[in-house]
Amino acid sequence: MGAVALAVALTGCGNLGPGKGSGSPSPETKTAYQLGEASPPQKSHMQKTANSTFTVTPTKVQTGTKADMDNSGLEKKKGEKPTIPVYVWSTLTHKSGQALDINDMDSDLIVRTNGGQRTRALIVIMGDAKWPNCPAPDSEKKLSAGQSEKICTAFLIPEGQKAAAVELSQGFQAAPLEWPVKN
């Protein structure tokens, strides 16, 4: 018998920080980037590594299929609307300070759909989810200053929608950084 997994994804509850700002930002307040372009240094949100900084560079976004979802091992709840995976490949680079877990560096990634829904990365509570060509990162692996790691993160979006952008939340005080996806 295959593994059964339960999944949790935070979606469009309006709790992911402010939306995209308007106007043309100065270089210091730039919020829009191209895939492959690194974010400005981000500060760790963890108390023990508050002096650490890192960058996130989304490099590729690919929408999965219904077959990927069917073969993932995730348990489908009765009455739940159908979803499909979106895979986001990123490079995480530790810039300075104490070593950081990979999970501390990619936890603020969000996928925004062409339908306006915003979804955080899939978290598997029990069991495993298997995705083609998107192995789960070792979320507890630590990177020291100067080290980088290429990872793939899975997100679930409503079937029929497409990824419009990858976002990096900067909390409630600043607009998220955004990497538009060209479909």
Side-chain angles (χ1 to χ4, degrees):
M1 185 182 321
V4 177
L6 300 174
V8 175
L10 300 175
T11 58
C13 301
N15 64 346
L16 299 175
K20 182 179 174 185
S22 59
S24 48
S26 67
E28 297 84 36
T29 60
K30 180 179 175 179
T31 59
Y33 299 86
Q34 294 181 13
L35 288 176
E37 192 175 0
S39 71
Q42 303 294 300
K43 291 185 178 187
S44 172
H45 300 292
M46 308 306 278
Q47 187 174 2
K48 66 180 181 176
T49 57
N51 69 335
S52 298
T53 62
F54 61 92
T55 60
V56 177
T57 309
T59 56
K60 178 181 169 186
V61 178
Q62 180 180 352
T63 302
T65 65
K66 183 180 179 318
D68 291 349
M69 195 67 199
D70 291 343
N71 296 324
S72 69
L74 292 176
E75 181 179 292
K76 295 177 188 97
K77 294 181 181 176
K78 189 174 183 176
E80 194 172 68
K81 293 183 180 184
T83 57
I84 56 172
V86 169
Y87 311 114
V88 176
W89 285 267
S90 302
T91 302
L92 308 175
T93 304
H94 186 285
K95 291 296 194 178
S96 67
Q98 294 174 296
L100 288 170
D101 292 344
I102 286 176
N103 192 46
D104 294 344
M105 292 187 267
D106 75 342
S107 63
D108 289 331
L109 282 176
I110 299 164
V111 166
R112 183 174 45 81
T113 69
N114 60 343
Q117 184 167 350
R118 298 170 80 210
T119 304
R120 290 197 183 263
L122 174 71
I123 299 170
V124 178
I125 304 294
M126 297 178 353
D128 292 314
K130 305 277 188 228
W131 306 109
N133 303 314
C134 184
D138 178 359
S139 61
E140 294 183 22
K141 180 177 182 179
K142 290 191 180 294
L143 296 182
S144 297
Q147 292 183 312
S148 294
E149 184 80 11
K150 294 180 182 185
I151 64 163
C152 182
T153 308
F155 298 79
L156 296 182
I157 65 170
E159 189 174 37
Q161 293 189 26
K162 294 180 181 178
V166 175
E167 296 180 347
L168 182 64
S169 174
Q170 298 192 103
F172 293 104
Q173 304 304 319
L177 303 180
E178 177 181 272
W179 290 262
V181 176
K182 294 176 176 67
N183 291 316

